[in-house]
Amino acid sequence: MAQFQEVSKQSSLHPKPVGLVLQYGTAGFRTNAKQLDHIMFRMGLLATLRSKKTRATIGVMVTASHNPEEDNGVKLIDPMGEMVTPAWEGYATQLANAEEQGLLTALKDILEKEAINMSQEASVFVGKDTRSSSGSLSQAVLDGVSALGGHSKDYGLVTTPQLHYMVRCQNTQGRYGEATVEGYYNKLCQAFIQLTKNASNRTDDQKHLTVDGANGIGALKVREMEKHLKRELQISLFNDGKGKLNHQCGADFVKVQQKPPTGIEMNAGKRCCSFDGDADRIVYYYSGADGQFQLLDGDKMSTLISTFLKELLTQAGLDLNIAVIQTAYANGSSTRHLEDTMKVTVKCTKTGVKHLHHAAQEFDIGVYFEANGHGTVLFSKAAEEKIQQVAEDASAIDEKKRAALLLQNTINVINQTVGDAISDMLLIEAILAIKDMSVQQWDDIYTDLPNRQLKVKVSDRRVIDTTDAERRTVSPPGLQDNIDRLVKKYSQARSFVRPSGTEDVVRVYAEAETQESADSLAHEVSLAVYRLAGGVGDEPKPLL
């Protein structure tokens, strides 16, 4: 086949370092940019095959999100803007690790297993973030697509969620929106402006938001978007791209360090938010009256959003099932508030966006956020149709109609394909405006239980096996009994352990009524893990 000759010829220009082995994980491939040229070329090949198989446009995003600037990475996007399926993650790993002489065999293996018709047209959308390595690496992806005769569209600099959005727009023939960056801004900003018309007499002060762009692609895109907002949201942008990507700034830095990013002046009670490097995560924070740094993470966001949606459903007289999807890391206070006060269904799932996204699809409306600020809201087709019926019903009373219209605009401000910092920011800003709520009042909806996360080094993380959405261990024997016994010593306590997905460590989480109790419980559980699960190095020391 002439196509394979072209693949061999092009592949020699993107040679694989002998012996290098990389794994396609939740975040795709991520490592030092110097090791990725061959990976990018091969992901161009794989995306072309995936397009032929699905008879749809596939996306390839070149980014390493919140990793340091010298790293890069790549992830594939399936036809509805979701992550690529597990079987194809396996093919990605297989193709990436094939030595040069085995590449064609690996390709043909995928062709046969998936019964791909090579004469089928292929279409691939490619995007990249602002890293200095992204230009040449995205070109390698484009080379891979053309080597197999696929058609490509290079979107250049876009956020990861924007590329997910473009893919979905293309594959719904424009029903989801227009597959351009301008179309994305128009849809989201028009919906935001319609929502804020329901807020009474907002002052410029209330319209103001401080945004930390992590010196990444999100900063560029917020600048582009501003004119579409017609000053209904007035943004002060910091870390706008002049500094080093993710360095002492961005959502991950703020969440882990529990402090504001470099360069941001915080005034008491003023809202601030941080994006991560590719703008698919967001966290909010503010300075309390006492000058204390206060973080509002994914749990706080999902609580605010689900409460707002539940109130609108009631006003619209719609009986739709709404659920919040959490992981074991969600703070116990948020779970209790949602279940006991708001009477919202909470479903716990394994850690990882794809598990949350999948669980959210089981409900009419599924709200999911990881604590790190990655999340979105999914609406079933049936839910969208029922909302539309009320909005268009001439005989519906005004309150019902108003609520249904608010829900329609809420749907339009949300990027349902994936967590999106820009979309989530607009949604939260609209909700706070409509509810006339300060950031302090939002934070006061519930108070987080003090918690502590620790890591224990072990010789083999696979000795830990969990069940019940990673909340209980089934092996090694005796560990769960130990954890249960330790938890009983403290008030409002909870603890679980789970193996890391990437390194030989076991992650320990504990929460309790006081910080002292949470620290003490986390330490005691770490000791139990160390003793029963093959800890290496020194025994865990108590937290000072």
Side-chain angles (χ1 to χ4, degrees):
M1 283 168 94
Q3 265 175 327
F4 287 129
Q5 285 172 331
E6 187 59 24
V7 169
S8 294
K9 190 172 113 187
Q10 289 279 337
S11 183
S12 64
L13 303 174
H14 303 281
K16 174 186 181 292
V18 177
L20 176 67
V21 175
L22 293 170
Q23 180 83 25
Y24 192 103
T26 303
F29 289 111
R30 250 185 229 176
T31 187
N32 187 286
K34 292 189 178 80
Q35 299 189 319
L36 282 168
D37 184 63
H38 70 293
I39 295 275
M40 298 293 171
F41 173 74
R42 293 171 182 204
M43 289 310 99
L45 299 174
L46 189 68
T48 309
L49 294 185
R50 182 75 180 145
S51 175
K52 288 174 186 287
K53 170 72 182 179
T54 58
R55 299 184 176 191
T57 296
I58 297 296
V60 182
M61 184 68 199
V62 177
T63 181
S65 190
H66 56 274
N67 280 35
E69 196 159 8
E70 56 275 12
D71 287 354
N72 217 321
V74 60
K75 40 191 172 187
L76 269 64
I77 301 167
D78 250 5
M80 288 311 285
E82 73 276 54
M83 293 176 174
V84 76
T85 62
W88 283 74
E89 285 182 2
Y91 295 149
T93 301
Q94 190 183 324
L95 208 55
N97 295 326
E99 295 303 341
E100 207 58 45
Q101 63 280 8
L103 177 62
L104 293 187
T105 311
L107 262 184
K108 286 172 182 167
D109 184 45
I110 298 166
L111 279 177
E112 282 170 22
K113 276 189 183 146
E114 294 291 329
I116 292 166
N117 172 8
M118 285 306 284
S119 62
Q120 176 67 38
E121 292 277 302
S123 159
V124 179
F125 284 0
V126 182
K128 64 183 176 193
D129 72 9
T130 54
R131 291 161 201 269
S132 56
S133 59
S134 291
S136 62
L137 292 176
S138 69
Q139 186 54 54
V141 174
L142 296 164
D143 290 351
V145 176
S146 71
L148 275 176
H151 303 286
S152 59
K153 180 165 182 176
D154 183 4
Y155 275 90
L157 293 167
V158 284
T159 69
T160 297
Q162 283 177 335
L163 192 68
H164 283 258
Y165 177 92
M166 303 307 160
V167 170
R168 183 163 182 158
C169 290
Q170 183 67 19
N171 289 317
T172 55
Q173 288 72 48
R175 280 192 306 280
Y176 192 65
E178 187 190 312
T180 64
V181 175
E182 203 65 12
Y184 168 92
Y185 297 143
N186 282 333
K187 181 181 173 184
L188 270 63
C189 293
Q190 281 169 15
F192 173 77
I193 289 165
Q194 286 302 319
L195 284 169
T196 54
K197 281 180 180 167
N198 291 271
S200 51
N201 306 326
R202 287 161 73 224
T203 63
D204 277 359
D205 206 31
Q206 287 171 315
K207 292 178 185 180
H208 184 262
L209 176 67
T210 297
V211 177
D212 156 32
N215 286 315
I217 183 68
L220 257 69
K221 297 297 163 182
V222 163
R223 275 270 145 83
E224 278 181 13
M225 181 178 75
E226 272 185 298
K227 65 176 186 289
H228 295 268
L229 288 166
K230 302 192 168 71
R231 295 195 58 75
E232 285 303 317
L233 183 60
Q234 295 167 22
I235 293 169
S236 293
L237 186 61
F238 291 83
N239 300 310
D240 61 356
K242 296 182 194 80
K244 192 176 178 189
L245 177 71
N246 295 324
H247 182 62
Q248 296 195 328
C249 60
D252 203 53
F253 172 84
V254 172
K255 170 90 173 111
V256 173
Q257 300 295 327
Q258 297 280 316
K259 66 179 183 187
T262 306
I264 278 195
E265 287 284 313
M266 289 182 69
N267 299 316
K270 294 285 181 274
R271 300 185 308 285
C272 306
C273 68
S274 284
F275 295 0
D276 72 334
D278 65 340
D280 66 355
R281 279 163 51 175
I282 182 172
V283 293
Y284 269 76
Y285 44 96
Y286 69 103
S287 172
D290 56 359
Q292 277 287 102
F293 173 85
Q294 303 288 346
L295 180 79
L296 294 105
D297 62 4
D299 295 339
K300 291 275 183 182
M301 290 189 272
S302 63
T303 303
L304 179 73
I305 294 164
S306 57
T307 302
F308 175 69
L309 291 171
K310 172 120 196 209
E311 286 166 358
L312 288 180
L313 289 173
T314 305
Q315 287 163 22
L318 283 162
D319 183 22
L320 296 173
N321 64 353
I322 179 169
V324 173
I325 318 299
Q326 296 187 329
T327 71
Y329 286 107
N331 196 280
S333 280
S334 72
T335 314
R336 269 196 284 280
H337 173 77
L338 287 164
E339 289 184 329
D340 301 346
T341 309
M342 292 310 304
K343 308 292 184 221
V344 169
T345 304
V346 176
K347 177 165 182 171
C348 189
T349 181
K350 282 165 74 171
T351 306
V353 178
K354 59 185 173 191
H355 300 299
L356 289 150
H357 193 90
H358 189 69
Q361 289 171 321
E362 295 169 20
F363 299 91
D364 290 326
I365 302 173
V367 181
Y368 74 83
F369 275 83
E370 290 187 295
N372 66 19
H374 185 286
T376 188
V377 186
L378 305 186
F379 293 82
S380 70
K381 196 164 180 290
E384 290 193 8
E385 284 167 0
K386 282 179 184 168
I387 290 164
Q388 189 176 347
Q389 277 166 10
V390 178
E392 293 173 357
D393 181 0
S395 64
I397 59 168
D398 285 354
E399 190 202 15
K400 282 188 174 183
K401 217 166 180 148
R402 177 184 171 273
L405 287 166
L406 275 167
L407 282 165
Q408 279 192 312
N409 283 311
T410 303
I411 289 168
N412 284 333
V413 92
I414 292 166
N415 182 350
Q416 293 188 53
T417 63
V418 72
D420 181 339
I422 290 175
S423 158
D424 292 336
M425 171 186 79
L426 293 176
L427 175 61
I428 286 161
E429 290 300 308
I431 294 172
L432 293 175
I434 291 165
K435 293 173 83 70
D436 193 18
M437 199 183 235
S438 70
V439 68
Q440 176 88 53
Q441 288 167 324
W442 169 22
D443 197 18
D444 289 344
I445 291 175
Y446 67 84
T447 305
D448 275 334
L449 282 168
N451 56 84
R452 177 67 65 194
Q453 294 187 43
L454 297 174
K455 292 198 287 196
V456 182
K457 281 191 174 171
V458 292
S459 55
D460 183 0
R461 66 182 184 272
R462 289 170 302 184
V463 301
I464 300 273
D465 194 14
T466 65
T467 185
D468 188 24
E470 302 177 312
R471 289 178 288 190
R472 297 185 68 78
T473 58
V474 287
S475 75
L479 178 56
Q480 189 57 52
D481 292 343
N482 260 287
I483 295 171
D484 290 342
R485 185 173 48 76
L486 293 166
V487 164
K488 281 193 184 124
K489 290 166 54 178
Y490 302 95
S491 176
Q492 293 190 52
R494 181 173 75 93
S495 181
F496 67 90
V497 305
R498 56 180 286 272
S500 159
T502 50
E503 51 186 331
D504 278 322
V505 298
V506 175
R507 301 189 188 281
V508 174
Y509 177 92
E511 64 183 32
E513 192 170 21
T514 67
Q515 190 63 58
E516 196 183 351
S517 297
D519 289 351
S520 180
L521 176 58
H523 170 64
E524 289 171 344
V525 171
S526 296
L527 273 178
V529 169
Y530 180 86
R531 289 167 185 163
L532 294 169
V536 295
D538 295 338
E539 202 168 76
K541 300 275 187 298
L543 294 157
L544 296 170

Short mmCIF file of all heavy atoms in Angstrom, two decimals, residues 9-30:
data_model
loop_
_atom_site.label_atom_id
_atom_site.label_comp_id
_atom_site.label_asym_id
_atom_site.label_seq_id
_atom_site.Cartn_x
_atom_site.Cartn_y
_atom_site.Cartn_z
N LYS A 9 8.34 6.60 5.27
CA LYS A 9 9.19 7.71 4.87
C LYS A 9 9.10 8.86 5.89
O LYS A 9 10.11 9.37 6.37
CB LYS A 9 8.76 8.21 3.47
CG LYS A 9 9.72 9.21 2.83
CD LYS A 9 9.32 9.50 1.39
CE LYS A 9 8.85 10.95 1.29
NZ LYS A 9 8.30 11.27 -0.02
N GLN A 10 7.86 9.22 6.24
CA GLN A 10 7.65 10.32 7.19
C GLN A 10 8.15 9.95 8.60
O GLN A 10 8.68 10.79 9.31
CB GLN A 10 6.15 10.66 7.27
CG GLN A 10 5.60 11.34 6.04
CD GLN A 10 5.89 12.84 6.03
OE1 GLN A 10 6.12 13.45 7.06
NE2 GLN A 10 5.93 13.41 4.84
N SER A 11 7.94 8.69 8.97
CA SER A 11 8.32 8.25 10.32
C SER A 11 9.83 8.38 10.54
O SER A 11 10.28 8.67 11.66
CB SER A 11 7.89 6.80 10.55
OG SER A 11 8.18 6.43 11.86
N SER A 12 10.60 8.21 9.48
CA SER A 12 12.06 8.33 9.62
C SER A 12 12.45 9.78 9.98
O SER A 12 13.53 10.03 10.52
CB SER A 12 12.77 7.88 8.35
OG SER A 12 12.41 8.75 7.28
N LEU A 13 11.56 10.74 9.69
CA LEU A 13 11.81 12.14 10.06
C LEU A 13 11.39 12.42 11.51
O LEU A 13 11.68 13.47 12.07
CB LEU A 13 11.04 13.08 9.12
CG LEU A 13 11.31 12.93 7.62
CD1 LEU A 13 10.37 13.83 6.82
CD2 LEU A 13 12.77 13.26 7.31
N HIS A 14 10.65 11.47 12.11
CA HIS A 14 10.21 11.59 13.51
C HIS A 14 10.60 10.32 14.26
O HIS A 14 9.75 9.57 14.72
CB HIS A 14 8.68 11.78 13.57
CG HIS A 14 8.18 12.96 12.79
ND1 HIS A 14 8.26 14.25 13.26
CD2 HIS A 14 7.61 13.05 11.55
CE1 HIS A 14 7.74 15.08 12.36
NE2 HIS A 14 7.35 14.38 11.31
N PRO A 15 11.92 10.04 14.34
CA PRO A 15 12.36 8.75 14.87
C PRO A 15 12.09 8.58 16.36
O PRO A 15 12.13 9.55 17.13
CB PRO A 15 13.87 8.74 14.59
CG PRO A 15 14.24 10.20 14.54
CD PRO A 15 13.05 10.92 13.99
N LYS A 16 11.82 7.35 16.75
CA LYS A 16 11.59 7.04 18.17
C LYS A 16 12.93 6.73 18.85
O LYS A 16 13.70 5.92 18.34
CB LYS A 16 10.68 5.81 18.28
CG LYS A 16 10.49 5.32 19.71
CD LYS A 16 9.70 4.02 19.75
CE LYS A 16 9.50 3.56 21.18
NZ LYS A 16 10.74 3.14 21.84
N PRO A 17 13.20 7.35 20.00
CA PRO A 17 14.41 6.97 20.75
C PRO A 17 14.30 5.50 21.17
O PRO A 17 13.27 5.10 21.74
CB PRO A 17 14.39 7.89 21.98
CG PRO A 17 13.44 9.00 21.62
CD PRO A 17 12.45 8.42 20.67
N VAL A 18 15.30 4.70 20.88
CA VAL A 18 15.25 3.26 21.16
C VAL A 18 15.06 3.03 22.66
O VAL A 18 15.72 3.65 23.49
CB VAL A 18 16.54 2.55 20.65
CG1 VAL A 18 16.52 1.07 21.01
CG2 VAL A 18 16.66 2.71 19.14
N GLY A 19 14.10 2.13 22.97
CA GLY A 19 13.91 1.74 24.38
C GLY A 19 13.02 2.65 25.19
O GLY A 19 12.65 2.32 26.32
N LEU A 20 12.63 3.80 24.65
CA LEU A 20 11.77 4.72 25.41
C LEU A 20 10.35 4.14 25.46
O LEU A 20 9.77 3.79 24.45
CB LEU A 20 11.73 6.10 24.74
CG LEU A 20 10.80 7.13 25.39
CD1 LEU A 20 11.29 7.54 26.78
CD2 LEU A 20 10.66 8.38 24.52
N VAL A 21 9.81 4.01 26.68
CA VAL A 21 8.45 3.47 26.87
C VAL A 21 7.59 4.51 27.59
O VAL A 21 7.97 5.00 28.65
CB VAL A 21 8.48 2.15 27.68
CG1 VAL A 21 7.07 1.66 27.97
CG2 VAL A 21 9.25 1.08 26.91
N LEU A 22 6.46 4.87 27.00
CA LEU A 22 5.53 5.82 27.63
C LEU A 22 4.13 5.23 27.65
O LEU A 22 3.78 4.42 26.79
CB LEU A 22 5.52 7.15 26.85
CG LEU A 22 6.81 7.98 26.88
CD1 LEU A 22 6.74 9.12 25.89
CD2 LEU A 22 7.09 8.51 28.28
N GLN A 23 3.33 5.64 28.63
CA GLN A 23 1.99 5.10 28.83
C GLN A 23 0.95 6.19 28.58
O GLN A 23 1.09 7.30 29.10
CB GLN A 23 1.89 4.60 30.28
CG GLN A 23 0.56 4.00 30.66
CD GLN A 23 0.42 2.54 30.25
OE1 GLN A 23 1.41 1.84 30.10
NE2 GLN A 23 -0.81 2.09 30.03
N TYR A 24 -0.12 5.88 27.81
CA TYR A 24 -1.21 6.82 27.62
C TYR A 24 -2.14 6.71 28.83
O TYR A 24 -2.76 5.68 29.05
CB TYR A 24 -1.98 6.51 26.33
CG TYR A 24 -2.95 7.59 25.88
CD1 TYR A 24 -2.61 8.44 24.84
CD2 TYR A 24 -4.18 7.76 26.49
CE1 TYR A 24 -3.49 9.45 24.42
CE2 TYR A 24 -5.07 8.76 26.08
CZ TYR A 24 -4.71 9.60 25.05
OH TYR A 24 -5.58 10.59 24.64
N GLY A 25 -2.23 7.78 29.62
CA GLY A 25 -3.06 7.76 30.83
C GLY A 25 -4.24 8.70 30.69
O GLY A 25 -4.59 9.13 29.59
N THR A 26 -4.86 9.04 31.82
CA THR A 26 -6.02 9.95 31.82
C THR A 26 -5.68 11.26 31.13
O THR A 26 -6.51 11.85 30.45
CB THR A 26 -6.46 10.25 33.28
OG1 THR A 26 -6.75 9.00 33.89
CG2 THR A 26 -7.69 11.11 33.34
N ALA A 27 -4.43 11.72 31.32
CA ALA A 27 -4.02 13.00 30.72
C ALA A 27 -3.35 12.80 29.37
O ALA A 27 -2.68 13.70 28.87
CB ALA A 27 -3.07 13.70 31.68
N GLY A 28 -3.50 11.63 28.77
CA GLY A 28 -2.83 11.34 27.51
C GLY A 28 -1.37 11.02 27.76
O GLY A 28 -1.03 10.40 28.76
N PHE A 29 -0.48 11.43 26.86
CA PHE A 29 0.97 11.30 27.08
C PHE A 29 1.48 12.62 27.63
O PHE A 29 1.10 13.68 27.14
CB PHE A 29 1.70 11.02 25.76
CG PHE A 29 1.46 9.65 25.20
CD1 PHE A 29 0.73 9.49 24.03
CD2 PHE A 29 1.96 8.52 25.83
CE1 PHE A 29 0.50 8.23 23.50
CE2 PHE A 29 1.73 7.25 25.31
CZ PHE A 29 1.00 7.10 24.14
N ARG A 30 2.35 12.54 28.63
CA ARG A 30 2.96 13.76 29.17
C ARG A 30 4.38 13.46 29.63
O ARG A 30 4.58 12.56 30.44
CB ARG A 30 2.17 14.25 30.38
CG ARG A 30 1.42 15.52 30.08
CD ARG A 30 0.74 16.05 31.31
NE ARG A 30 -0.64 16.37 31.01
CZ ARG A 30 -1.52 16.78 31.89
NH1 ARG A 30 -1.17 16.92 33.14
NH2 ARG A 30 -2.74 17.06 31.53
#
